[in-house]
Amino acid sequence: MACNFHGNARDAAAAPEAAAHARIAVSDWLETQARVIGYWRDVLVAAGGNLALIEALDDHARFLAEASHRGEGEFLQTQ
């Protein structure tokens, strides 16, 4: 089956809507990931968990925040 990478006029007209939808979906995904990381970080801190793992989660939370800010979306701060 061949793929049509050139599209057509209808596809071009739908592109801005698709891009907006994708931006919202990615922003939602990033926020969900931040919430999950924040939860597990809090569990580890409360349990006196491994500091290296907590630091890795903190680093990942910062990465997610930076990714969200690049997309110019609002972002839930988990820390």
Side-chain angles (χ1 to χ4, degrees):
M1 173 188 263
C3 293
N4 180 2
F5 290 106
H6 300 290
N8 57 40
R10 185 183 61 172
D11 293 340
E17 184 177 325
H21 175 73
R23 183 185 52 77
I24 291 167
V26 169
S27 179
D28 288 349
W29 180 80
L30 288 168
E31 185 174 336
T32 299
Q33 294 303 304
R35 288 177 187 267
V36 170
I37 287 172
Y39 169 79
W40 285 114
R41 181 194 184 281
D42 291 348
V43 168
L44 286 171
V45 168
N50 181 288
L51 183 59
L53 182 54
I54 293 167
E55 289 174 348
L57 291 175
D58 287 342
D59 289 343
H60 193 57
R62 279 189 290 278
F63 166 79
L64 292 171
E66 289 172 12
S68 179
H69 292 301
R70 286 184 195 134
E72 300 177 10
E74 293 182 12
F75 191 73
L76 170 71
Q77 296 298 324
T78 59
Q79 298 178 10

